[in-house]
Structure formats: structure tokens, C-alpha cells
Amino acid sequence: MNTLVEAMPVIWVALGVVVLLILNMKFKINGMLALLLAAIFVGVCEGLPLEAIGKSIETGIGSTLGHLALIILFGAILGKLMVDSGAAQRVSSTLLQRFGPKKVQWAIMVIGLIFGLAMFYEVAFLILAPLVISIAREAKIPFLKLGITMVAAATTAHSLFPPQPGPTALVAAFHADMGMVYIYGVIVAIPTVICSGIILPKLLGNLDRPIPQLLESQKVFRDDEMPSFAVSLLVPLIPAIIITGVTLIKLVVPANPHITSLLNFVGSAQISMLIAVLVALYAFGTARGKSMTDVMLSYSTAIEKVALVVFIIGAGGAFKQIIMDTGVGDYIADMMRTSSVSPLIMAWFITVLLRLATGAGTVSAITAAGIVGPMITTFNVDPALMVLATASGSNTLTHVNDAAFWLFKEYFGLSIKDTFKTWGLLELTNSVVGLLIVLLLDLII
């Protein structure tokens, strides 16, 4: 009886997810409203005071959009400016000429890894999405085939490698050598992305879907109408260049509070994206002979098209906060403390459970690290492998309580069913293959 009572938070969360799916899929209620209703349902069933439920919703929306709102808006604006100026067409046509339609997936994989390593996943996704769709249009292949490759690469790099926040925190938690994390991480990342980004799309059957309205270009540009390839690729890379440059400068410049404050400001995701947008307004707008009125039309259209995506992601943050406030994470952590399973497998499994329950990748990874960290010396496990096992667990199948799930769904204009089929399976493949490679390394090293 006590066990059942202790497990009730998990049961209510599971029922809340069912309610959400029924509202969205059966009754066709918009995702934002369905998420809020499901969040209230879980909070009431769990016995949270009504005032606390309201506060959790406010906190969840605020914490999620406080980080993501400007990133999503600036990313959408940058993508729209690239589409409307012909920059996306220039990059896609050049890559197709260099690699050909049969090898373009490999080019997308490399670009996805670079962007995922250098910037926040949401930034990488929003910058690469218009390129992927433009390339797919010219190559006459379904955009989701390339979209899966891009997302698989970006999420893998984002999850495994510092300076991204999750793996950086794990390196500190497990006292791992960052250099070894990079070396082993490359060994883990390559087969992982090949399996989820190259092989998986071939097994998913028909991936042909309508091109999202936001990213559908109404014009085929002549060569002289488009920016150069260098400009078309350099402008969207500005956030990556700034963030990476700031990281390197911090390593070589003596610590100074004023300099550090300036670097942190310029190197933040929001400010680096703002700089990229300002440059894009010139490079993809006025420098191409457009009036500022025309440029601002692209700007406004991008915001209008992506506004609902922003609110849906905010509602997802509310649902996630309610779930976290029910104590699901603590229950799962306590349940696993007495297990005698290998720390690598346990770290991965706990992280997967927490990610499924809370939708928070970094939080689930750090929680798992706190549980299995003391076992490293007992089991004589390489700390770098512990970092990668836990990171692979954080990059797993996610669902309706994850902002990235809704970003993928809404931006690509997919149903929930199709989102599980694509996003869900690619993330699950990432996670499982990543763990298997880590376990293989553990046997060899």
C-alpha cells in the first residue's frame, strides 16, 4: 500500500500525458490549451493547492520562455531572411553541386554536428531548418529525410560535448578529464549519428510532408539575385563564431570581472543571435537592394508565423514544471539508489526515466550524476565514460513535456503521431546506440 502511495506522482503524470494526447489527437484541441489543461489536471490530482498550481504554471512558462523566446524569434527571423533573400537557395544549390543528391545527407550531418557543438540546440535547429528545406526542395527529396539527419547530428553534439551546459556540468560532477570526454565523445557520436541520421530515415517509409508555410519560398532566384555562398553561410554561423570565440578568449585572457562580464554578455545565445539578425538585415536585405520596409515585412511575417510555436513551447514548460513539482524525479531517484546494476547502465537508465518524466535534459543528467557519482570508485569506471553514458541518457525519446518536441512538431508542421515517428525514434536511436558504444568502450579500455 505504501509503495502505491509513493508511486502516485508517477501514475498521475502518466494519466496527465494520456489526457493531453486525447485532447490533442481525438478532440483536435490546440497544443497550447491541451498542455495547460493537462498541467492543471496533474496538479489537482496530485493534491497541489490551487494557488501552487497557478504559481507552477507561471514559473514553468517564465523559465522556459525566458530562455527560449528570443532565441526562437530571432532564429525564425534569420531563417525567413535567408529564404526571402535567396541565401538558403544559394547554400543548398552549392552543397548539392559539391556533394550531389546522394551524398548531401553526409554534408548535413557534418554541418549539424558543427552547429550543435557550437551553439544551443534551439539556435542550431532554427538556423538549419530553412537550409534543410531548401536543399530538400532542390534535390527533390522529402525535407524530413534531411531534417532527421540534421536534428540527429545537432542533438548528439549538444548532448555529448562541452561547452554545452549539460555535458559541462557532468564533467564537473564526475570529475572527468574534458579532453578524454572529447576523444571518447567523437567515437560515440559518429556511429550514433550514422544510425539515427543516415540509416533510420531509410527505414521510416514515406516521409513526404508539405513544406511548412513559414519556410516555403515563393520565388526561384537567379544566380545574380542571391548573396554569395560565403555570405550566405557566414551570417547564420555568426552565433557559433561568437560563442566559440568567447569560450576560447576566456581560456587565454587573464580573469577580469569587467572583461568576463562583457564576454558573457556578447557570448550569450540571445545577444549573439541578435547580432546575427542585425547583420542579416543588412547582408540579406538592404545590401541586396531591398528597402527597409520590405526587410521589415520579412521580419514581421517570421514573428507572426512562429508566435504560436512560442506559446505552445511556453505551455510545455508549464506542464514540465507541474510534473517536477509533483516529486516524480525524487521518487525515481530514490527507487534506483539500492540497485546493483553497472553504474554506466544505471546512470543512463535513471537519466532516461527522469528525462521522460520531467522533459528536462540537463536536470535529469545532473540528478543521475548525484545518484551514481559515488559508485565510480567502487566499480572503477572511467569518469569520461560516465559522462557520456549519462549524456546519452539525456538525449533520449521525449514527448509532450519537452520543449524540443514541440519545436520540432510545430516548426515542421507535423502531427503528434508523425512527431513520435520521427523525433521520437531518432532520439531513442541516439540514446540506445550511444549507450551501446559507451559499454563497448568500457570493455576495450
Side-chain angles (χ1 to χ4, degrees), residues 58-215:
E58 180 183 330
T59 300
I61 292 175
S63 62
T64 301
L65 293 187
H67 169 62
L68 291 180
L70 284 178
I71 293 175
I72 294 170
L73 290 174
F74 287 151
I77 293 164
L78 187 56
K80 183 64 173 170
L81 290 169
M82 290 183 68
V83 170
D84 289 352
S85 67
Q89 182 181 324
R90 171 70 79 185
V91 173
S92 62
S93 59
T94 303
L95 288 177
L96 280 174
Q97 289 170 5
R98 301 271 176 89
F99 292 91
K102 292 185 179 180
K103 295 181 181 179
V104 74
Q105 262 187 296
W106 295 92
I108 292 294
M109 184 183 81
V110 173
I111 293 173
L113 284 169
I114 293 171
F115 273 63
L117 174 64
M119 61 184 74
F120 286 105
Y121 165 72
E122 292 81 9
V123 178
F125 176 89
L126 289 162
I127 291 176
L128 290 174
L131 296 181
V132 163
I133 289 174
S134 185
I135 291 170
R137 184 191 293 112
E138 290 207 25
K140 295 179 172 57
I141 58 178
F143 77 85
L144 268 180
K145 183 177 182 181
L146 296 184
I148 290 172
T149 304
M150 177 266 287
V151 171
T155 57
T156 298
H158 178 82
S159 300
L160 297 185
F161 297 109
Q164 296 300 339
T168 300
L170 288 175
V171 167
F174 288 124
H175 305 289
D177 182 279
M178 191 172 292
M180 296 310 298
V181 170
Y182 272 107
I183 293 170
Y184 294 155
V186 170
I187 298 172
V188 172
I190 292 174
T192 296
V193 177
I194 290 174
C195 287
S196 59
I198 304 294
I199 297 174
L200 179 64
K202 300 179 187 297
L203 305 177
L204 290 180
N206 181 19
L207 291 173
D208 201 8
R209 299 293 186 277
I211 291 175
Q213 188 178 5
L214 171 66
L215 301 176

Side-chain angles (χ1 to χ4, degrees), residues 336-360:
M336 296 299 298
R337 287 184 195 278
T338 57
S339 175
S340 59
V341 179
S342 160
L344 291 171
I345 297 175
M346 184 186 293
W348 177 86
F349 186 62
I350 294 173
T351 311
V352 167
L353 289 180
L354 292 169
R355 182 73 197 268
L356 283 168
T358 66

Side-chain angles (χ1 to χ4, degrees), residues 40 42 88 94 152-153 198 201 221 229 292 311 324 350 368 394 408 414 428:
I40 293 170
V42 173
T94 303
I198 304 294
F221 294 86
F229 176 73
M292 186 56 70
F311 281 107
M324 295 179 72
I350 294 173
S394 71
F408 187 96
L414 304 178
L428 180 62

Side-chain angles (χ1 to χ4, degrees), residues 121-315:
Y121 165 72
E122 292 81 9
V123 178
F125 176 89
L126 289 162
I127 291 176
L128 290 174
L131 296 181
V132 163
I133 289 174
S134 185
I135 291 170
R137 184 191 293 112
E138 290 207 25
K140 295 179 172 57
I141 58 178
F143 77 85
L144 268 180
K145 183 177 182 181
L146 296 184
I148 290 172
T149 304
M150 177 266 287
V151 171
T155 57
T156 298
H158 178 82
S159 300
L160 297 185
F161 297 109
Q164 296 300 339
T168 300
L170 288 175
V171 167
F174 288 124
H175 305 289
D177 182 279
M178 191 172 292
M180 296 310 298
V181 170
Y182 272 107
I183 293 170
Y184 294 155
V186 170
I187 298 172
V188 172
I190 292 174
T192 296
V193 177
I194 290 174
C195 287
S196 59
I198 304 294
I199 297 174
L200 179 64
K202 300 179 187 297
L203 305 177
L204 290 180
N206 181 19
L207 291 173
D208 201 8
R209 299 293 186 277
I211 291 175
Q213 188 178 5
L214 171 66
L215 301 176
E216 187 171 10
S217 176
Q218 303 298 321
K219 177 180 178 180
V220 177
F221 294 86
R222 299 191 312 271
D223 188 75
D224 62 311
E225 292 179 313
M226 297 182 288
S228 68
F229 176 73
V231 171
S232 299
L233 191 60
L234 183 62
V235 172
L237 274 174
I238 285 174
I241 294 170
I242 292 175
I243 293 171
T244 304
V246 165
T247 302
L248 294 176
I249 291 171
K250 285 182 179 178
L251 295 176
V252 298
V253 173
N256 180 293
H258 300 294
I259 295 177
T260 301
S261 178
L262 176 62
L263 290 174
N264 288 339
F265 173 74
V266 175
S268 66
Q270 290 84 353
I271 299 303
S272 62
M273 284 293 292
L274 172 60
I275 294 170
V277 167
L278 292 175
V279 174
L281 291 175
Y282 170 74
F284 299 150
T286 55
R288 307 301 305 164
K290 292 185 177 184
S291 67
M292 186 56 70
T293 301
D294 290 336
V295 176
M296 285 295 106
L297 180 60
S298 295
Y299 183 100
S300 301
T301 301
I303 293 176
E304 291 169 5
K305 298 293 186 183
V306 83
L308 183 58
V309 176
V310 172
F311 281 107
I312 288 174
I313 290 172

